[in-house]
Coordinates of all heavy atoms in Angstrom, one line a residue:
V202 N -86.8 31.1 -157.6 CA -86.5 29.7 -157.7 C -86.7 29.1 -159.1 O -85.8 28.4 -159.6 CB -87.3 28.9 -156.7 CG1 -87.0 27.4 -156.8 CG2 -86.9 29.3 -155.2
A203 N -87.8 29.5 -159.8 CA -88.0 29.0 -161.1 C -86.9 29.5 -162.1 O -86.4 28.8 -162.9 CB -89.4 29.4 -161.5
A204 N -86.6 30.8 -161.9 CA -85.4 31.3 -162.8 C -84.1 30.6 -162.5 O -83.4 30.3 -163.4 CB -85.3 32.9 -162.5
G205 N -83.9 30.4 -161.1 CA -82.7 29.6 -160.8 C -82.6 28.2 -161.4 O -81.6 27.7 -161.8
T206 N -83.8 27.5 -161.4 CA -83.9 26.2 -161.9 C -83.6 26.2 -163.5 O -82.8 25.4 -164.0 CB -85.3 25.7 -161.7 OG1 -85.6 25.7 -160.3 CG2 -85.4 24.2 -162.2
G207 N -84.1 27.2 -164.1 CA -83.9 27.3 -165.6 C -82.4 27.6 -165.8 O -81.8 27.0 -166.8
A208 N -81.8 28.5 -165.1 CA -80.4 28.8 -165.2 C -79.5 27.6 -164.9 O -78.5 27.2 -165.6 CB -80.0 29.9 -164.4
L209 N -79.8 26.8 -163.8 CA -79.0 25.7 -163.5 C -79.1 24.6 -164.5 O -78.0 23.9 -164.7 CB -79.5 25.2 -162.1 CG -78.9 23.9 -161.6 CD1 -77.4 24.1 -161.3 CD2 -79.6 23.4 -160.3
A210 N -80.2 24.4 -165.1 CA -80.3 23.4 -166.2 C -79.3 23.6 -167.3 O -78.9 22.6 -167.8 CB -81.8 23.4 -166.7
G211 N -79.0 24.8 -167.6 CA -78.0 25.1 -168.6 C -76.6 24.7 -168.3 O -75.7 24.6 -169.1
L212 N -76.3 24.5 -167.0 CA -75.0 24.2 -166.5 C -74.8 22.6 -166.2 O -73.8 22.2 -165.9 CB -74.6 24.9 -165.2 CG -74.8 26.4 -165.3 CD1 -74.5 27.1 -164.0 CD2 -73.9 27.0 -166.4
L213 N -75.9 21.9 -166.4 CA -75.8 20.4 -166.1 C -75.6 19.7 -167.5 O -76.0 20.2 -168.6 CB -77.2 20.0 -165.5 CG -77.5 20.6 -164.1 CD1 -78.9 20.2 -163.7 CD2 -76.4 20.4 -163.1
P214 N -75.1 18.5 -167.3 CA -75.0 17.6 -168.6 C -76.4 17.2 -169.0 O -77.4 17.3 -168.3 CB -74.2 16.4 -168.0 CG -74.4 16.3 -166.6 CD -74.5 17.8 -166.2
P215 N -76.6 16.8 -170.3 CA -77.9 16.6 -170.8 C -78.7 15.5 -170.1 O -79.9 15.6 -170.0 CB -77.6 16.1 -172.3 CG -76.3 16.7 -172.6 CD -75.5 16.7 -171.3
W216 N -78.0 14.5 -169.5 CA -78.8 13.4 -168.9 C -79.4 13.9 -167.6 O -80.3 13.3 -167.0 CB -77.8 12.3 -168.6 CG -76.7 12.5 -167.6 CD1 -75.5 13.0 -167.9 CD2 -76.7 12.3 -166.2 NE1 -74.7 13.1 -166.8 CE2 -75.4 12.6 -165.8 CE3 -77.6 11.8 -165.3 CZ2 -75.0 12.5 -164.4 CZ3 -77.2 11.6 -163.9 CH2 -76.0 12.0 -163.5
L217 N -78.9 15.1 -167.1 CA -79.6 15.7 -165.9 C -80.4 16.9 -166.3 O -81.5 17.2 -165.7 CB -78.5 16.2 -164.9 CG -77.8 15.2 -164.0 CD1 -76.8 15.8 -163.2 CD2 -78.8 14.4 -163.2
R218 N -80.1 17.6 -167.4 CA -80.8 18.7 -167.8 C -82.2 18.4 -168.3 O -83.2 19.1 -167.9 CB -80.0 19.5 -168.9 CG -80.7 20.7 -169.4 CD -79.9 21.2 -170.7 NE -78.5 21.3 -170.5 CZ -77.6 20.9 -171.4 NH1 -78.0 20.5 -172.6 NH2 -76.3 21.0 -171.1
V219 N -82.3 17.4 -169.1 CA -83.6 17.1 -169.7 C -84.6 16.6 -168.6 O -85.7 17.1 -168.6 CB -83.4 16.0 -170.8 CG1 -84.7 15.5 -171.3 CG2 -82.6 16.5 -171.9
P220 N -84.2 15.7 -167.7 CA -85.2 15.4 -166.7 C -85.6 16.5 -165.8 O -86.8 16.6 -165.4 CB -84.5 14.3 -165.9 CG -83.5 13.8 -166.8 CD -83.0 14.9 -167.7
L221 N -84.6 17.4 -165.5 CA -84.9 18.6 -164.7 C -86.0 19.5 -165.3 O -87.0 19.8 -164.7 CB -83.6 19.3 -164.3 CG -83.9 20.6 -163.5 CD1 -84.5 20.3 -162.2 CD2 -82.5 21.3 -163.4
L222 N -85.7 19.9 -166.6 CA -86.6 20.7 -167.3 C -88.0 20.1 -167.5 O -89.0 20.7 -167.4 CB -86.0 21.2 -168.6 CG -84.8 22.1 -168.5 CD1 -84.3 22.5 -169.9 CD2 -85.2 23.4 -167.8
A223 N -87.9 18.8 -167.9 CA -89.2 18.1 -168.1 C -90.1 17.9 -166.8 O -91.2 18.2 -166.8 CB -88.9 16.7 -168.7
G224 N -89.4 17.6 -165.7 CA -90.2 17.4 -164.5 C -90.6 18.7 -163.9 O -91.8 18.8 -163.6
F225 N -89.8 19.7 -163.8 CA -90.2 21.0 -163.3 C -91.2 21.7 -164.2 O -92.2 22.2 -163.7 CB -89.0 21.9 -163.1 CG -89.2 23.1 -162.4 CD1 -89.5 23.1 -161.0 CD2 -89.2 24.4 -163.0 CE1 -89.8 24.3 -160.3 CE2 -89.4 25.6 -162.3 CZ -89.8 25.6 -161.0
G226 N -90.9 21.7 -165.5 CA -91.8 22.3 -166.4 C -93.2 21.6 -166.5 O -94.3 22.3 -166.5
G227 N -93.2 20.3 -166.4 CA -94.4 19.6 -166.3 C -95.3 19.9 -165.1 O -96.5 20.0 -165.2
M228 N -94.6 20.1 -163.9 CA -95.3 20.5 -162.7 C -95.9 21.8 -162.8 O -97.1 22.1 -162.4 CB -94.3 20.5 -161.6 CG -95.0 20.8 -160.3 SD -93.7 21.1 -158.9 CE -93.1 22.7 -159.3
L229 N -95.2 22.8 -163.5 CA -95.8 24.2 -163.7 C -97.0 24.2 -164.6 O -97.9 24.9 -164.5 CB -94.7 25.1 -164.2 CG -93.4 25.3 -163.3 CD1 -92.4 26.3 -163.9 CD2 -93.8 25.8 -161.9
L230 N -96.9 23.4 -165.7 CA -97.9 23.3 -166.6 C -99.2 22.6 -166.0 O -100.3 23.0 -166.2 CB -97.5 22.4 -167.9 CG -96.6 23.2 -168.8 CD1 -96.1 22.2 -170.0 CD2 -97.3 24.4 -169.5
Q231 N -99.0 21.6 -165.1 CA -100.0 21.0 -164.4 C -100.8 22.0 -163.5 O -102.1 22.0 -163.5 CB -99.5 19.8 -163.6 CG -100.6 19.0 -162.9 CD -100.1 17.8 -162.3 OE1 -98.9 17.6 -162.1 NE2 -101.0 17.0 -161.6
D232 N -100.0 22.9 -162.8 CA -100.6 23.9 -162.0 C -101.4 24.9 -162.9 O -102.4 25.4 -162.4 CB -99.5 24.6 -161.2 CG -98.8 23.7 -160.1 OD1 -99.4 22.6 -159.8 OD2 -97.7 24.0 -159.8
L233 N -100.9 25.2 -164.0 CA -101.5 26.2 -164.9 C -102.9 25.6 -165.4 O -103.9 26.4 -165.4 CB -100.6 26.6 -166.0 CG -101.2 27.6 -167.0 CD1 -101.5 28.9 -166.4 CD2 -100.3 27.8 -168.2
L234 N -102.9 24.3 -165.7 CA -104.1 23.7 -166.2 C -105.1 23.6 -165.1 O -106.4 23.5 -165.4 CB -103.8 22.3 -166.8 CG -102.9 22.3 -168.1 CD1 -102.7 21.0 -168.6 CD2 -103.6 23.2 -169.2
A235 N -104.7 23.5 -163.9 CA -105.6 23.3 -162.8 C -106.4 24.7 -162.5 O -107.5 24.8 -162.0 CB -104.9 23.1 -161.4

Side-chain angles (χ1 to χ4, degrees):
V202 173
T206 303
L209 176 63
L212 305 179
L213 299 176
W216 65 274
L217 285 176
R218 180 189 313 141
V219 173
L221 176 62
L222 290 177
F225 187 71
M228 182 189 73
L229 299 183
L230 287 175
Q231 185 178 3
D232 293 341
L233 180 63
L234 294 176

